[in-house]
Amino acid sequence: MSSSTGIQEAISNARREAQDLHEQIKNQRKKTNDANLRDMDVPDMLPMKIRERRVLRGHYAKIYSLAWGRDSTSLVSASQDGKLIIWDAVKAYKTHAIPLRSHWVMCCDYSPSGNAVACGGLDNICSVFLLSTVQQNPNATDMKPHRELTGHTGYLSCCKFLNDRHILTSSGDQSCILWDIEMNQPVTRFEEHTGDCMSVSIKPDGDNNLFLSGSCDGNAKLWDIRMNKCVATFTGHEGDINSVQFFPNGNAFATGSDDCSCRLFDIRAAREVMTYSDDNVREGVTCISFTKSGRVLFSAYEDKKVIAWDTLKGKVLQTLEGLPNGHENRVSCLAVSPDGHGLATCSWDMTVKIFA
């Protein structure tokens, strides 16, 4: 009995010591925070006035994910109707529909070359489809994937192509995996999170050596693929992190969380530099995306709205909510087109919308 009590006391003391060290680190970081981004002498932006330009209808269940092709015209969306749909977002029509073996799809992505798409979900598998095969079998009711990447023991929450040969996945098994698609096997596992990994973002500088992950443990981690390990951990959120994205120049990144806020972190300073929150925002963030310049951060929320934030000032520039310039249900994913001219959003209301 006394042995058990001694162990409990040791655990309690270790927890107190860890908390004290955490507070010391936080206080030390506060001392080095010599600037406030909100106080910078930057001209205010005028309110934005983007509006709905296209509505893409064709899914018959909740849409969970979308991704742009590099041409800023092609778009892929994934829905629980068991279909991946390839769209021409400018002309607003379907070019291909890919039937999936599992209806429980949660993520999708377009390869950089535009030759392939990938998806994953509650089947724990990342399925990769070649569009050349899809074009040869336009009426197929059972489409066999080019590759099925199996190795996760939990649902797939996000998948991102590094190039046509490699893809990165995050999972509810608390890990991320870098895959060699052609070899059909994992290259590296990244396993330092203590909660479900919900999102990944690849550094936008062309060398694909660094990526970010966001997790239900409330932390965002920066990973170096060359070193096969985490090189920095960023804290501050009080809820699950559902989405992460690099700033366009790769020196900073943003996060979106269930704590109803988005945050901007500077990688070089290793600290948070801005919080995007508002008293009228009381629902969690589902997805975020920067404009091409990075001056505007779009965030989607569980309560049907999309907000455009001034990245440097932390102010709301526009709120897209309700018809016609909004959705009728939860906005599950959004993304700015590579050329920066359009914003695509998808929702549980079974529609994809293009704003500009």
Side-chain angles (χ1 to χ4, degrees):
M1 195 72 178
S2 59
S3 175
S4 176
T5 303
I7 292 172
Q8 290 299 323
E9 287 181 357
I11 292 173
S12 297
N13 291 335
R15 284 177 175 166
R16 282 195 294 271
E17 185 178 352
Q19 186 62 35
D20 289 342
L21 289 171
H22 180 72
E23 290 299 322
Q24 290 176 33
I25 292 170
K26 187 187 295 185
N27 293 333
Q28 192 62 35
R29 284 181 172 174
K30 283 182 180 178
K31 291 178 182 178
T32 61
N33 290 351
D34 58 354
N36 187 333
L37 194 56
R38 293 180 189 273
D39 298 333
M40 295 293 99
D41 186 18
V42 179
D44 286 326
M45 285 188 68
L46 295 174
M48 296 184 69
K49 295 182 180 180
I50 65 171
R51 62 184 179 87
E52 178 189 300
R53 305 290 179 171
R54 300 283 188 275
V55 181
L56 310 182
R57 294 184 173 92
H59 283 296
Y60 298 98
K62 296 174 181 177
I63 306 174
Y64 268 81
S65 182
L66 61 78
W68 286 97
R70 289 287 175 89
D71 60 3
S72 297
T73 298
S74 303
L75 189 75
V76 60
S77 59
S79 166
Q80 288 194 349
D81 61 10
K83 294 283 195 305
L84 278 184
I85 294 182
I86 311 295
W87 306 87
D88 183 314
V90 176
K91 297 179 180 178
Y93 69 78
K94 293 181 285 185
T95 58
H96 304 291
I98 304 173
L100 304 174
R101 295 179 181 179
S102 170
H103 286 210
W104 303 106
V105 61
M106 297 177 66
C107 60
C108 63
D109 196 30
Y110 226 116
S111 70
S113 68
N115 294 330
V117 292
C119 67
L122 296 187
D123 61 358
N124 304 354
I125 299 171
C126 181
S127 300
V128 181
F129 297 88
L130 295 181
L131 295 187
S132 57
T133 304
V134 175
Q135 292 165 1
Q136 292 168 10
N137 303 276
N139 299 316
T141 56
D142 183 21
M143 183 72 65
K144 185 178 180 181
H146 172 62
R147 291 288 185 270
E148 289 186 321
L149 307 175
T150 59
H152 281 296
T153 57
Y155 63 88
L156 258 71
S157 55
C158 188
C159 59
K160 296 290 181 185
F161 281 97
L162 276 74
N163 47 53
D164 279 21
R165 179 74 186 250
H166 297 97
I167 192 169
L168 188 66
T169 58
S170 62
S171 169
D173 65 11
Q174 304 182 5
S175 75
C176 302
I177 296 180
L178 175 65
W179 301 87
D180 186 313
I181 297 171
E182 294 309 313
M183 295 296 291
N184 203 28
Q185 63 184 20
V187 177
T188 310
R189 290 177 178 269
F190 304 92
E191 302 176 307
E192 289 190 28
H193 280 295
T194 57
D196 297 10
C197 292
M198 300 304 296
S199 178
V200 291
S201 178
I202 298 164
K203 193 168 187 286
D205 58 6
D207 63 7
N208 296 337
N209 287 320
L210 296 174
F211 75 91
L212 293 162
S213 62
S215 168
C216 291
D217 61 15
N219 297 330
K221 290 182 179 288
L222 178 67
W223 304 83
D224 191 320
I225 293 173
R226 296 161 297 188
M227 300 170 65
N228 296 337
K229 70 175 186 178
C230 172
V231 293
T233 299
F234 298 84
T235 62
H237 279 294
E238 298 175 357
D240 302 356
I241 295 178
N242 297 317
S243 184
V244 292
Q245 193 188 19
F246 269 105
F247 194 77
N249 67 7
N251 292 327
F253 68 92
T255 55
S257 169
D258 277 350
D259 65 11
C260 311
S261 75
C262 300
R263 296 173 190 244
L264 182 68
F265 295 87
D266 188 296
I267 294 173
R268 296 163 299 180
R271 70 178 182 90
E272 178 188 322
V273 292
M274 180 66 78
T275 300
Y276 308 96
S277 61
D278 189 271
D279 290 341
N280 295 322
V281 178
R282 300 176 182 175
E283 297 288 339
V285 181
T286 59
C287 192
I288 57 174
S289 184
F290 281 109
T291 55
K292 191 173 183 180
S293 69
R295 183 63 195 267
V296 179
L297 175 68
F298 290 102
S299 56
Y301 296 83
E302 293 179 2
D303 61 351
K304 313 176 192 179
K305 70 178 60 164
V306 172
I307 295 178
W309 299 92
D310 184 332
T311 304
L312 299 181
K313 293 290 188 178
K315 297 178 180 178
V316 176
L317 298 174
Q318 186 177 1
T319 300
L320 301 171
E321 185 178 18
L323 299 179
N325 283 335
H327 286 280
E328 298 180 85
N329 208 325
R330 170 186 171 131
V331 182
S332 48
C333 188
L334 54 74
V336 175
S337 62
D339 64 8
H341 293 164
L343 170 71
T345 62
C346 65
S347 167
W348 286 10
D349 67 10
M350 301 183 288
T351 65
V352 176
K353 294 195 173 189
I354 310 298
F355 297 88

